[in-house]
Amino acid sequence: MGSYKSKEANAAGRYAYTPEENAIWGELFDRQMAALQGKMAPDFLRGVGELGLTNRAVPQVADVSARLAALTGAGVVGVPALIAPAQFFTLLSQRKFPVATFLRRREDIDYIEEPDIFHEVFGHCPLLTDPDYAAFIENFGRRASELGERYKWRMFRLFWFTVEFGMIRTPDGIRGFGAGIASSPAEVAHAMSGRAEMLPFDLLTVFRTPYRIDIVQPVYFVIDTFAALASALTADVGAIIDEAKALGDLPARFEKAA
């Protein structure tokens, strides 16, 4: 994470952001809201408004959590940075999304390797206003916790191809819903360019598909509805992962990292 350091909350649970950080948030917010029109799921764009996110200042974790609690019983928890998978899954199973509290500097405004509060709150939280999506997050955390260590990397593939880079069918065509699309100008342009491969969402295929974190995605999985996504986890996920392991990974659609 380089020289970035997570912020600590004060006694009232608030985080202090500088005028420069508020300005960077505002620039990121305005840029992405302009870029996402007609490209992200309407549910996402509606959720931005329901959370009261604006270009004025970095939002407070406590305020976002309170709004989510009132809407879907979801919430967010400020965390120091990357956390252990077991803790991550446990929080999700409680319908709580862990969020990093630092914001990228201006020199990193286009890309930062580790998720910051813009990625976490602007990218992830708007869809937590949708009851079916919030149910998927909770059920994902519960299933991942139950399955344990041997299954965690395949479960991270499911997270990657849905929560981070998922696409959804809408009456107006395929739109993005993943946070990695919502918070990245390059990713949303690529996802909607017509050059990327779009596959129907299927758990077995997802569990067999490798990915790289440092490139725009060559393939995306498309869900029909958030309700269908949530219901996918009623399947025997462990058995499907076992089958995926037995069959082996599908050929990578990218070059290996140097």
Side-chain angles (χ1 to χ4, degrees):
M1 197 169 64
S3 59
Y4 284 102
K5 184 179 179 183
S6 296
K7 292 182 179 287
E8 299 289 337
N10 64 18
R14 318 294 284 185
Y15 295 88
Y17 293 97
T18 66
E20 170 69 355
E21 287 171 326
N22 287 329
I24 290 170
W25 171 277
E27 290 177 31
L28 287 165
F29 182 91
D30 287 343
R31 182 175 72 178
Q32 283 309 102
M33 287 300 290
L36 299 182
Q37 301 304 314
K39 296 174 182 173
M40 288 297 285
D43 317 72
F44 176 91
L45 297 170
R46 183 171 58 249
V48 172
E50 289 180 339
L51 289 183
L53 303 181
T54 72
N55 63 358
R56 292 192 295 272
V58 181
Q60 289 292 328
V61 168
D63 296 340
V64 174
S65 200
R67 292 213 179 204
L68 286 173
L71 289 164
T72 59
V76 291
V77 177
V79 295
L82 295 178
I83 58 175
Q87 183 185 1
F88 179 71
F89 295 146
T90 297
L91 284 170
L92 295 186
S93 73
Q94 299 165 351
R95 211 173 274 216
K96 305 293 185 189
F97 205 96
V99 299
T101 55
F102 69 91
L103 183 69
R104 70 193 71 181
R105 291 184 290 267
R106 191 169 295 281
E107 61 264 29
D108 297 324
I109 199 164
D110 289 325
Y111 175 77
I112 183 170
E113 187 171 330
E114 301 292 351
D116 67 345
I117 195 168
F118 184 76
H119 173 83
E120 307 278 48
V121 170
F122 182 86
H124 283 294
C125 292
L127 275 182
L128 290 170
T129 64
D130 180 272
D132 290 321
Y133 184 82
F136 169 73
I137 290 293
E138 178 185 343
N139 292 335
F140 173 89
R142 183 177 296 117
R143 296 306 293 272
S145 295
E146 292 168 352
L147 288 167
E149 184 76 15
R150 285 198 309 120
Y151 294 86
K152 71 178 181 182
W153 295 117
R154 289 306 200 291
M155 290 300 286
F156 276 128
R157 284 184 176 179
L158 174 57
F159 189 89
W160 184 262
F161 286 116
T162 55
V163 179
E164 291 292 355
F165 292 100
M167 306 289 286
I168 186 171
R169 299 185 195 284
T170 78
D172 297 316
I174 294 175
R175 298 290 184 264
F177 73 85
I181 300 171
S183 63
S184 167
E187 197 74 43
V188 71
H190 176 70
M192 298 301 293
S193 69
R195 295 190 302 271
E197 187 175 1
M198 300 285 168
L199 298 179
F201 178 80
D202 169 73
L203 279 177
L204 180 61
T205 308
V206 167
F207 289 138
R208 296 182 65 202
T209 302
Y211 63 86
R212 267 180 61 181
I213 67 171
D214 58 341
I215 56 172
V216 291
Q217 299 305 297
V219 61
Y220 301 88
F221 288 89
V222 186
I223 66 170
D224 291 322
T225 64
F226 292 122
L229 178 63
S231 68
L233 290 178
T234 61
D236 188 340
V237 176
I240 297 172
I241 292 176
D242 287 338
E243 183 180 357
K245 288 180 176 180
L247 291 170
D249 282 355
L250 294 166
R253 292 171 169 83
F254 50 80
E255 298 293 328
K256 288 188 177 182

